[in-house]
Amino acid sequence: MAVGEVMRMEIPAGGDLTVTTPELHVLAVDDSIVDRKVIERLLRISSCKVTTVESGTRALQYLGLDGGKGASNLKDLKVNLIVTDYSMPGLSGYDLLKKIKESSAFREVPVVIMSSENILPRIQECLKEGAEEFLLKPVKLADVKRIKQLIMRNEAEECKILSHSNKRKLQEDSDTSSSSHDDTSVKDSSCSKRMKSESENLFSLL
Amino acid sequence: MDTLIAQLQRQFRDYTISLYHQGFLDDQFTELKKLQDECSPDFVAEVVTLFFEDCEKLISNMARALDQAGNVDFKLVGSSVHQLKGSSSSVGAKRVKGLCITLKECCDSQNYEGCVRCLQQVDIEYKTLKAKLQDLFNLEQQIVQAGGRIPQVDI
């Protein structure tokens, strides 16, 4: 780079480095029509885009994880958060969580479990399976606000990683050096933050 | 000199407070009110309508199950009351929720008489709440029609 030249960072096609607050798209799963109405409103009032479905099976269909041929239309589907009830007829929230975490398309999407029952083994089981949080019903506005902040913080960190690795790639292209040391350390710190918040939540439930 | 609006607002405030004090409503109802605004002015009314429809459906299912004297599907009754307990909790219907807990206990111990009695009480209770909330919504309408604002009531 010559002196005085401004370095421009090229945003890759499909990359999302917008500075404005993006609207989160949340998939809410609950067999109770009353609870669906409430969670939908809680999320909408928190500026989220919401899709509600009434069962785990319908959720899998929506995400294209049911093995049906609808999957090919879903590569543009962006879901930032899945909120699901635990006790549902048919596929439980826990089963749904497992299927999501097993999928390559959606395993990075945070999943929050809701339940009216404060059963510690159940909570532990869900967190162990990768649930982001466990909410006790009835869900309040403060709960949704907290979840949203958590998700947005995680998304912002991922954007940082993305922009960091883009900067690095540009540097690599220009001076052919290669090192991914910094990326790993940024990822580790966000992982440990997530685990720390999980154990904090677990203690707050005890 | 008390204007009509001021009178109505006072009635509304007193009635709301009494519903909480008499245990008909709990703070989850307050949470629902927070979700109501100019964009969603009928949110609470819409949710409680869904709740009362749920009550009717689930109570009817349970009554039918309990009607099969000698061959009662307590599992069905149990899952129905679990659902009803959930939705009553979500709208702040405190007394209905309490009765659901009792009904669940009767169901778990397969206490037929207890279930029948309790279910009757749940039925009466949800209908009572429905009437009271209708009165409350009517008061709101009267205030708005008189050109007033619905007061925020701190419990």
Side-chain angles (χ1 to χ4, degrees), chain B:
Chain B
M1 195 182 65
D2 226 359
T3 62
L4 173 64
I5 292 175
Q7 276 176 30
L8 289 170
Q9 286 173 333
R10 202 162 15 102
Q11 254 187 291
F12 174 81
R13 199 177 268 118
D14 292 344
Y15 197 56
T16 303
I17 291 173
S18 77
L19 288 178
Y20 280 87
H21 283 187
Q22 288 170 32
F24 285 99
L25 299 172
D26 65 27
D27 64 58
Q28 183 62 18
F29 189 79
T30 316
E31 287 291 314
L32 291 189
K33 295 226 84 157
K34 285 187 197 168
L35 306 180
Q36 186 160 284
D37 60 19
E38 315 79 50
C39 306
S40 239
D42 300 314
F43 174 71
V44 180
E46 287 165 8
V47 180
V48 301
T49 302
L50 288 173
F51 168 63
F52 293 131
E53 284 170 6
D54 225 20
C55 287
E56 213 182 302
K57 184 186 88 179
L58 292 168
I59 290 171
S60 159
N61 289 352
M62 289 189 270
R64 214 176 315 123
L66 289 170
D67 247 353
Q68 319 297 320
N71 191 27
V72 175
D73 186 351
F74 282 104
K75 214 165 146 237
L76 178 73
V77 180
S79 78
S80 296
V81 72
H82 176 81
Q83 283 182 61
L84 190 56
K85 179 174 150 245
S87 49
S88 61
S89 167
S90 296
V91 305
K94 189 175 180 184
R95 282 200 192 179
V96 178
K97 177 182 168 185
L99 286 169
C100 286
I101 292 171
T102 311
L103 178 52
K104 183 92 191 356
E105 286 165 7
C106 291
C107 190
D108 290 344
S109 51
Q110 306 214 342
N111 173 0
Y112 178 76
E113 303 293 342
C115 282
V116 172
R117 250 180 296 123
C118 214
L119 186 63
Q120 280 170 356
Q121 285 183 290
V122 173
D123 191 55
I124 292 169
E125 199 57 54
Y126 101 81
K127 286 170 175 162
T128 306
L129 180 62
K130 187 174 176 183
K132 289 196 181 280
L133 287 181
Q134 191 56 62
D135 288 343
L136 194 66
F137 295 141
N138 287 344
L139 266 174
E140 280 185 349
Q141 260 194 319
Q142 284 177 61
I143 293 171
V144 169
Q145 274 166 8
R149 222 182 27 87
I150 298 163
Q152 185 132 320
V153 185
D154 295 318
I155 307 301

Side-chain angles (χ1 to χ4, degrees), chain A residues 90-110:
Chain A
L91 207 70
S92 75
Y94 177 72
D95 296 328
L96 178 61
L97 167 68
K98 282 214 297 206
K99 290 236 187 279
I100 290 165
K101 292 301 169 189
E102 280 163 15
S103 74
S104 53
F106 296 102
R107 72 162 61 100
E108 295 302 314
V109 177

Side-chain angles (χ1 to χ4, degrees), chain A:
Chain A
M1 236 173 49
V3 170
E5 208 178 292
V6 175
M7 176 170 149
R8 267 176 243 282
M9 191 169 78
E10 220 168 79
I11 295 172
D16 189 17
L17 294 172
T18 48
V19 182
T20 53
T21 315
E23 215 187 27
L24 295 186
H25 178 208
V26 187
L27 176 65
V29 192
D30 202 313
D31 60 315
S32 159
I33 192 172
V34 171
D35 289 355
R36 272 203 306 281
K37 175 111 183 151
V38 174
I39 193 76
E40 180 187 49
R41 183 71 191 140
L42 283 168
L43 290 165
R44 287 238 165 94
I45 216 175
S46 309
S47 311
C48 297
K49 203 174 95 157
V50 193
T51 302
T52 57
V53 292
E54 80 259 24
S55 70
T57 312
R58 279 288 298 119
L60 291 179
Q61 276 171 10
Y62 181 78
L63 297 169
L65 298 178
D66 60 335
K69 51 186 164 68
S72 56
N73 310 336
L74 296 168
K75 55 176 158 55
D76 294 325
L77 179 68
K78 182 79 179 125
V79 174
N80 302 104
L81 168 66
I82 296 166
V83 180
T84 177
D85 190 24
Y86 183 92
S87 324
M88 295 187 290
L91 207 70
S92 75
Y94 177 72
D95 296 328
L96 178 61
L97 167 68
K98 282 214 297 206
K99 290 236 187 279
I100 290 165
K101 292 301 169 189
E102 280 163 15
S103 74
S104 53
F106 296 102
R107 72 162 61 100
E108 295 302 314
V109 177
V111 181
V112 170
I113 310 274
M114 305 179 284
S115 174
S116 55
E117 293 165 300
N118 191 1
I119 296 171
L120 190 56
R122 173 182 292 186
I123 297 169
Q124 288 171 325
E125 183 187 54
C126 289
L127 292 177
K128 187 155 159 263
E129 200 59 43
E132 191 75 23
E133 263 240 27
F134 190 98
L135 291 180
L136 229 45
K137 282 182 166 184
V139 180
K140 297 170 165 25
L141 195 55
D143 296 322
V144 173
K145 290 204 155 128
R146 194 181 72 245
I147 300 286
K148 192 187 172 191
Q149 276 173 3
L150 185 71
I151 304 303
M152 306 230 17
R153 203 164 41 226
N154 290 347
E155 296 255 323
E157 278 169 7
E158 277 169 32
C159 273
K160 253 192 251 161
I161 294 168
L162 183 68
S163 80
H164 194 91
S165 71
N166 278 338
K167 272 198 197 127
R168 186 150 293 288
K169 192 171 191 314
L170 285 163
Q171 253 177 358
E172 281 170 15
D173 286 348
S174 59
D175 55 33
T176 66
S177 66
S178 62
S179 155
S180 56
H181 175 74
D182 282 12
D183 289 352
T184 330
S185 65
V186 172
K187 273 200 194 104
D188 279 348
S189 77
S190 74
C191 259
S192 64
K193 268 190 204 142
R194 202 178 288 214
M195 284 186 66
K196 182 170 183 296
S197 77
E198 274 172 11
S199 59
E200 269 170 6
N201 290 331
L202 191 55
F203 285 126
S204 71
L205 288 164
L206 291 170

